Amino acid sequence: MRELETDVAIIGAGSAGLNARREVERAGKHWLLIEGGAYGTGCARTGCMPSKLLIAAANAARSARRAELFGVRIAASDIRIDGRAVLERVRRERDRFVQLVNAAVEALPREQRLHGYARFVSANTLDVGGHTRVHAKAVVIASGSRPVVPALLQPLGAALLTSDNLFELPDLPESVAVFGSGAIGLELGQALHALGTRVTFFNPNDVLGPFSDPLLSERFRALLASEFDLRLGVTGLDVQVQPDGVLVRHRDRAGREQQSRFARVLAAVGREPASAALNLAASGLALDARGLPSCDPRSMQCADAPIFLAGDAVGERALLHEAVDEGCLAGANAARFPQLQSIVRRVPLLIAFSQPQLAMLGASFREAAQSDCVIGHSSYDDQGRARVQAENHGEVRVYVDRASTRLLGAELYGPEVEHTAHLLAWMVQAKLPLSEVLHMPVYHPTLEEGIRSALRDAGSQLGLLRGCAPPDRGEGPGS
Ligand SMILES: Cc1cc2nc3c(=O)[nH]c(=O)nc-3n(C[C@H](O)[C@H](O)[C@H](O)COP(=O)(O)OP(=O)(O)OC[C@H]3O[C@@H](n4cnc5c(N)ncnc54)[C@H](O)[C@@H]3O)c2cc1C
């Protein structure tokens, strides 16, 4: 067995691990980058990028179907989805992204890249693939996550889809039962539906989407129920593999037995840190009931050990921008251990590219409701630009601290909220008082007017509106 020494061993060459490596290098310390699987990152290979490529195809199909609304005549029979071509483009573009990452990794010194799965032998020693023993002054665990497959679905074999194998299908499936209705389930299920796959969402929990605000939860669900077969809050879920697919049985909320047949089942019930192979028990860290260590989110350090967590391996904010931030922080602190830097994290921001898009940022309703806050509300039903685009479905709820009048957070769904959510997140992070926010320019007619209406609603409840608008600003139609 080969023996190697290093300042920092990094487990996982995903987005978190690669950013950790860069920071160690920047600090002038020696690193070893350990990867058990293929290079290319989860984001590019199975996550953000292929899912958005599939959604881009779905949006093209939706636009073609909606063209008639605007007087653009395309006969429905002329719209044909070529599933093979859709998935070929997804893979072609996905492979381009993967290749860009691969090229950057391959450019790193070969002797500092180890191939094989790492497992702890002690707090400072790792076994890599049974061929190398690494002695490190500090370790960054950036081993990512994997889809949770509930025991019920495990016997499905080839009929089981997750985000790991969905994009490898040669053709779009005729029908899919989506288990789970969180951000990933909604994104993939809605995209497949728009591309002609018959989709039914199943969830034993009576929830749809990630909202904590009950009003948004209820309205978002009512909106989707008008288009989708939603089986939420069902009991007795059972699946059976049959020659022509999978039979899904359940009892509906009235207790009636139901059954339907699907070509495939998509497990989208969440993700869990990929920690099983790490032998964390040997690291000396205290582990929780899931077998995971915890870390300080301001330094990424686990207890007072020279071990740092980053990215999906943390099991908290499983998002790309968080993985990048955490990788940088973990790498920098591993390099300077034991003199750590502690940072204030960015405002949380989650966007799901569902239809319509949804977002949560800053304090959620559940968190904001713990303090004395006012809730500003607006709807996109009659919002000018949303109606122009025939996308007038959505709600915005902003939570404003009564004493400081600062925006604490927001939950929203509606047209292109991927953009408006950023504005709101930046306002929260800048800790701007509402009176200042309400003085910001807003162009007409734009979707940004939709969030301004919610902010103005909160402002009016706080008595901030009088005299706060510049005198030359009028209100446009439907703003
Ligand atoms: C379908 C889907 C859509 C998504 N969409 C978005 C989105 O739109 N926006 C967004 O912000 N986020 C999105 N995400 C989440 C985002 O992709 C992840 O948060 C991010 O990629 C996590 O990066 P990471 O570095 O933690 O993990 P990864 O990039 O997965 O890297 C972990 C690496 O560790 C390796 N590894 C694991 N165990 C070991 C071991 N023992 N030894 C050696 N190597 C090991 C793995 O092989 C892997 O290469 C999506 C995820 C999915 C699944």
Side-chain angles (χ1 to χ4, degrees):
M1 174 154 333
R2 188 164 61 140
E3 303 268 338
L4 294 176
E5 290 196 0
T6 187
D7 291 321
V8 182
I10 300 153
I11 304 175
S15 304
L18 289 173
N19 280 282
R21 185 215 66 82
R22 207 191 47 222
E23 290 304 314
V24 178
E25 169 114 356
R26 194 171 278 167
K29 296 291 175 75
H30 186 265
W31 51 266
L32 288 174
L33 182 62
I34 306 164
E35 174 54 62
Y39 291 137
T41 77
C43 166
R45 197 179 282 284
T46 53
C48 324
M49 305 317 282
S51 60
K52 267 76 255 179
L53 285 160
L54 190 73
I55 290 168
N59 288 343
R62 273 193 206 104
S63 299
R65 287 197 197 98
R66 282 163 33 90
E68 186 81 11
L69 250 178
F70 302 92
V72 178
R73 308 268 179 242
I74 306 176
S77 57
D78 286 348
I79 302 172
R80 194 177 65 83
I81 312 286
D82 181 342
R84 286 181 175 274
V86 166
L87 286 160
E88 273 163 23
R89 177 177 188 266
V90 167
R91 282 192 290 274
R92 196 167 57 246
E93 292 299 316
R94 184 271 313 263
D95 290 349
R96 232 187 102 261
F97 292 122
V98 168
Q99 193 39 47
L100 289 173
V101 182
N102 281 351
V105 179
E106 303 287 349
L108 299 173
R110 186 183 291 272
E111 64 282 6
Q112 285 178 263
R113 290 186 275 125
L114 304 185
H115 196 76
Y117 282 95
R119 60 195 307 276
F120 279 88
V121 177
S122 71
N124 291 77
T125 312
L126 302 171
D127 173 284
V128 180
H131 52 71
T132 307
R133 189 147 286 203
V134 171
H135 304 277
K137 290 187 186 135
V139 177
V140 175
I141 304 172
S143 47
S145 63
R146 60 170 174 226
V148 173
V149 178
L152 173 71
L153 303 184
Q154 279 167 15
L156 290 184
L160 178 68
L161 295 175
T162 67
S163 51
D164 282 355
N165 63 355
L166 169 66
F167 308 110
E168 306 307 325
L169 291 176
D171 202 347
L172 291 167
E174 174 273 323
S175 51
V176 171
V178 179
F179 278 57
S181 47
I184 292 179
L186 282 172
E187 285 190 359
L188 298 178
Q190 287 190 302
L192 289 170
H193 169 77
L195 291 165
T197 297
R198 174 172 59 83
V199 170
T200 300
F201 288 93
F202 291 92
N203 195 339
N205 302 316
D206 201 12
V207 290
L208 182 79
F211 293 124
S212 76
D213 190 316
L215 184 131
L216 285 200
S217 237
E218 187 195 313
R219 296 198 180 164
F220 184 68
R221 177 179 171 152
L223 177 65
L224 264 64
S226 62
E227 192 185 351
F228 286 93
D229 189 359
L230 302 178
R231 312 282 173 99
L232 309 176
V234 299
T235 53
L237 262 172
D238 185 36
V239 294
Q240 199 184 342
V241 185
Q242 302 204 322
D244 55 346
V246 180
L247 186 69
V248 180
R249 291 205 191 89
H250 69 280
R251 274 189 296 284
D252 65 19
R253 286 160 72 193
R256 286 182 301 255
E257 297 273 352
Q258 305 279 355
Q259 64 176 47
S260 19
R261 204 173 303 274
F262 297 90
R264 303 280 191 144
V265 171
L266 174 68
V269 300
R271 296 181 67 80
E272 61 188 2
S275 58
L278 289 170
N279 191 31
L280 284 165
S283 69
L285 296 172
L287 306 179
D288 65 16
R290 300 171 299 165
L292 299 174
S294 61
C295 71
D296 178 346
R298 293 162 306 169
S299 68
M300 308 317 292
Q301 186 186 22
C302 300
D304 57 358
I307 303 178
F308 298 81
L309 278 174
D312 284 14
V314 181
E316 296 287 337
R317 307 175 178 195
L319 295 168
L320 189 273
H321 65 282
E322 301 285 2
V324 170
D325 284 358
E326 290 170 357
C328 290
L329 184 56
N333 276 338
R336 61 194 290 168
F337 180 81
Q339 266 85 47
L340 306 189
Q341 60 167 326
S342 193
I343 63 153
V344 176
R345 297 288 296 266
R346 286 180 227 258
V347 159
L349 171 62
L350 164 85
I351 294 169
F353 297 83
S354 49
Q355 183 60 39
Q357 294 179 347
L358 64 83
M360 296 173 72
L361 58 106
S364 64
F365 168 84
R366 196 173 293 130
E367 291 159 347
Q370 307 294 316
S371 61
D372 185 12
C373 74
V374 300
I375 300 177
H377 176 236
S378 68
S379 158
Y380 283 98
D381 288 359
D382 287 316
Q383 204 270 329
R385 181 61 178 272
R387 280 207 80 92
V388 164
Q389 297 176 188
E391 292 178 310
N392 50 313
H393 299 293
E395 312 275 340
V396 185
R397 298 260 283 176
V398 296
Y399 316 120
V400 179
D401 180 58
R402 191 184 294 278
S404 65
T405 81
R406 282 183 190 155
L407 182 61
L408 299 173
E411 298 189 14
L412 60 160
Y413 69 90
E416 297 176 38
V417 300
E418 64 177 288
H419 304 299
T420 42
H422 276 89
L423 292 183
L424 289 168
W426 293 4
M427 290 172 196
V428 175
Q429 186 152 327
K431 297 190 167 86
L432 294 179
L434 195 56
S435 54
E436 240 178 86
V437 168
L438 291 171
H439 268 81
M440 298 287 180
V442 178
Y443 204 73
H444 176 73
T446 60
L447 295 168
E448 283 71 10
E449 290 172 318
I451 58 166
R452 185 186 56 188
S453 299
L455 293 165
R456 284 177 64 85
D457 181 35
S460 138
Q461 294 174 53
L462 291 166
L464 294 175
L465 279 195
R466 230 164 321 151
C468 82
D472 60 346
R473 195 185 66 194
E475 296 298 313
S479 66

